[in-house]
Structures are given as structure tokens and as C-alpha cells.
Amino acid sequence: MQQQEASSRPQSSAYLNKLSLEIEKKLQRALASPSQRRNLLQELFADIALEVDDRAKDIILSRDEDAITPAEYGANGRLCFYDVLADYYIRSPDSGKPILDLIVQLWSQSFASHIFSLLFHKWLFEVQLDNAEVQLRYSSALVQGATNVFWMDIQSNTRCFQSLFLAQRDLYLLLSRFIFFYNSVEKIESFLKQCPVFPNSFLIGGPADILVIELADQLQKLKVEPVLLHYLSQVKILRGMELRMATSTRLKTCLYSFTSPGGPMYPTRAVRHAAWDALDFLFPVGRYPRHLISLFFRLLYPWYWPSSCWNFIVSCIKAVFYSLLRVIHSRWGKLREPKTA
């Protein structure tokens, strides 16, 4: 029995790798043959949309940790080849890179976006792309391809691509991370109403909790100061939002981590002040004890005293200077007022 399980482990990976090589070959043929390009891409699209037959299921649904399990079946128990390959390219991104490179060269061709959306819709939500232009191109291709295949389901009255539709959960999580960056916070209310149903919602909470959890995780990953300052200014829109205690504590802890110098976040002074403003605005209860505790811990690190004292003196001088300017401006305005008899 143990020998049978051991032999099934490489069998599944080898089978999926073989499928990837066949896809790569057909894409290369399409790239080399302009006259047959549309037909070849259409054939490839039809192939990956097929339901996995029983013989292939026995190979794919092995007990290997890296293999597909029955719980990962597509929608309504239907398992298609694109379901299997989409999961495979998350676990083995190197296997999907040659295919992705070929699809990019065929962007403008019919069925290219269809194939991309089926094979890489999960990969796109997992990968971290540094190039914003590439991210936008992939996202546009995903939307275009998904729209096309959904219309195919409607026109044929089938549910072949329902599992791709369920990827809206991943899309919601992705948008939750970036809605604050793209100045769309005024749309949060309607955004929350469109939140899909999550199977673990009874554990993590409702749409607002999911949004804040993703936001807190995103804040911990931000390293660019202007972007972090922008996020901290935008999060004030969350005031008054009903959250679970665990979610509220998570956000509070996240913001508090940016209020102190040093590790693990090493925030700049501007970030620390922005974090304090956001924290005090969102959680006014306990504001003064938090500041006292923070001051106490700052006193434990003497090497921060000179910079803190200097910044305090500069702040006081600025405050006095601006106060004098306001007084002068006010009196100057009164002197210029015409006297009435």
C-alpha cells in the first residue's frame, strides 16, 4: 500500500507536466502558423475546457500533498482540465511561465484571453508583480477572457466555467487591498454590498471584517512611504464601521505597530504621526493611555531622546510662529477695516 502511494506522487506531477508541454507545443504551432492560428487556439481552448475523464482523475487525484484532492473539484463536482492546471501553476509557477510567455505574444488573437483566464486566474491572485503595467495587462486580459467564457455558458445554457466565476472571491480580496490606493473609498459601501459569500465567513465575519483583515495585511507589506501615508489617511473612512472584536483588535494592533520607531516596521516620523492620527480617529477610547504607554517605552530607549527632543522643540517653534502669524493677520485685517461713523 505504501509503495502504491509513493509511486502515485511523481505520477500526478509528471502527468500535469506532460499536459503543460502539450499546451506549450500547440501555442508554439499557433505562433509559427498565422493562417492556422485561430483554429489552433480554438482547439486548445476546447481541450482545456473538457471535463477530466475517469482515467486521468485516477492519476491526478492522488494522495500526494501537491496533487489535487477531491475537495478541490470544480463547481458542482465537475472537474475540468483548466481547474487542475490552474492549481498546478500556483504550486509550480515555472511550469506555467513558458505558456504565459507564449500567450503574451498572442495577446491580440482570438481565444488568447480565454485561455489565459482559464489557466492563470488563480496564479494572478497569488503572484507579486512589481511592474504595474504588466499587472494591468494581465488583469485586463483576465476580465476580457472571463467575460467571454461566461457568455459562452449563457449562450449554451451550461455551467462549464462556473468555477472561474467563483474566483470573484479572490478578486474581492484583491480589490480590498487596493481600493484605498486608487482613491475609491467613497465606493466602499457599494463594494461591501457586492461581497461574495465566503465559506468561512462564520469564522472571520462579514464583508466589512474581510475588507479590514485584507487591509491590515496590506499595510504590513507596504514599504513605500508616500503610499503608506496615503493608506493611513484613507483608512479613516472606516470609522463607525461595525466589526468583530477580533477584526477591530487586528486593525488597532496593525496601526499601533507604525507608531514607534525601530523594528519591525521601522516607520519614519511622518508615518508615525499619520498612524497616530488614524489610530486616535478610529479608536478614540483609550487614546491618552496609549500615548502614555508609548511615551514610557520611548524612555526605555535613550538613543531616541535627542531626535525626539529636537523634533519637539521644532514643533513648538512652528506652533508659536504660526500662532503669531494668525494674530498679526487678524489685527492687520481689523486695522484695514473702514471705520464707521
Side-chain angles (χ1 to χ4, degrees), residues 73-218:
Y73 268 31
N76 300 322
R78 175 189 174 95
L79 184 67
C80 297
F81 281 102
Y82 75 84
D83 290 313
V84 176
L85 291 166
D87 287 323
Y88 177 60
Y89 294 144
I90 293 177
R91 300 191 307 272
S92 303
D94 291 340
S95 300
K97 189 176 185 307
I99 295 173
L100 183 60
D101 292 340
L102 289 168
I103 292 177
V104 169
Q105 298 179 62
L106 296 164
W107 266 147
S108 60
Q109 303 301 314
S110 299
F111 295 99
S113 63
H114 303 51
I115 296 169
F116 172 81
S117 63
L118 293 183
L119 295 180
F120 295 101
H121 64 275
K122 293 184 178 181
W123 171 86
L124 185 58
F125 294 122
E126 295 288 338
V127 71
Q128 295 289 337
L129 297 174
D130 297 329
N131 192 318
E133 184 179 348
V134 173
Q135 177 80 46
L136 179 61
R137 185 189 306 169
Y138 287 168
S139 301
S140 300
L142 175 63
V143 172
Q144 180 184 350
T147 302
N148 291 334
V149 299
F150 292 157
W151 274 110
M152 287 182 175
D153 265 354
I154 288 176
Q155 291 167 353
S156 60
N157 191 25
T158 58
R159 303 291 189 275
C160 295
F161 306 110
Q162 187 172 354
S163 60
L164 176 59
F165 175 77
L166 296 179
Q168 63 173 313
R169 298 171 182 169
D170 296 321
L171 182 59
Y172 180 84
L173 298 179
L174 181 68
L175 292 176
S176 297
R177 292 171 175 264
F178 294 97
I179 191 172
F180 292 86
F181 178 69
Y182 290 109
N183 300 317
S184 299
V185 292
E186 70 280 356
K187 301 177 182 178
I188 281 185
E189 185 175 353
S190 60
F191 178 68
L192 294 176
K193 291 179 181 178
Q194 299 174 18
C195 175
V197 178
F198 284 78
N200 59 340
S201 59
F202 67 97
L203 292 174
I204 62 177
D209 293 281
I210 296 171
L211 171 72
V212 172
I213 289 171
E214 291 299 312
L215 170 64
D217 185 62
Q218 177 78 341

Side-chain angles (χ1 to χ4, degrees), residues 219-220 232 235 250-259 275-276 278-279 282-283:
L219 285 172
Q220 298 288 334
L232 292 172
V235 298
R250 184 168 184 167
L251 177 60
K252 191 184 301 183
T253 303
C254 173
L255 292 174
Y256 193 76
S257 67
F258 289 102
T259 61
W276 273 122
L279 186 62
L282 293 175
F283 306 100

Side-chain angles (χ1 to χ4, degrees), residues 16 23 25 53 57 60 74-75 78 93 97 99 102 133 144 174 186 190 202 204 228 231 247 262 265 293 300 333 335:
L16 294 173
I23 293 173
K25 288 179 182 178
D53 56 75
K57 278 184 182 178
I60 296 170
R78 175 189 174 95
K97 189 176 185 307
I99 295 173
L102 289 168
E133 184 179 348
Q144 180 184 350
L174 181 68
E186 70 280 356
S190 60
F202 67 97
I204 62 177
L228 186 53
Y231 267 82
T247 307
M265 306 309 298
I293 294 172
L300 297 179
L335 290 175

Side-chain angles (χ1 to χ4, degrees), residues 1 21 32 58 61 155 163 188 217 239 242 276 326 341:
M1 184 67 176
L21 292 175
D58 292 336
L61 303 178
Q155 291 167 353
S163 60
I188 281 185
D217 185 62
R239 183 171 182 174
E242 294 185 7
W276 273 122
R326 283 194 294 270

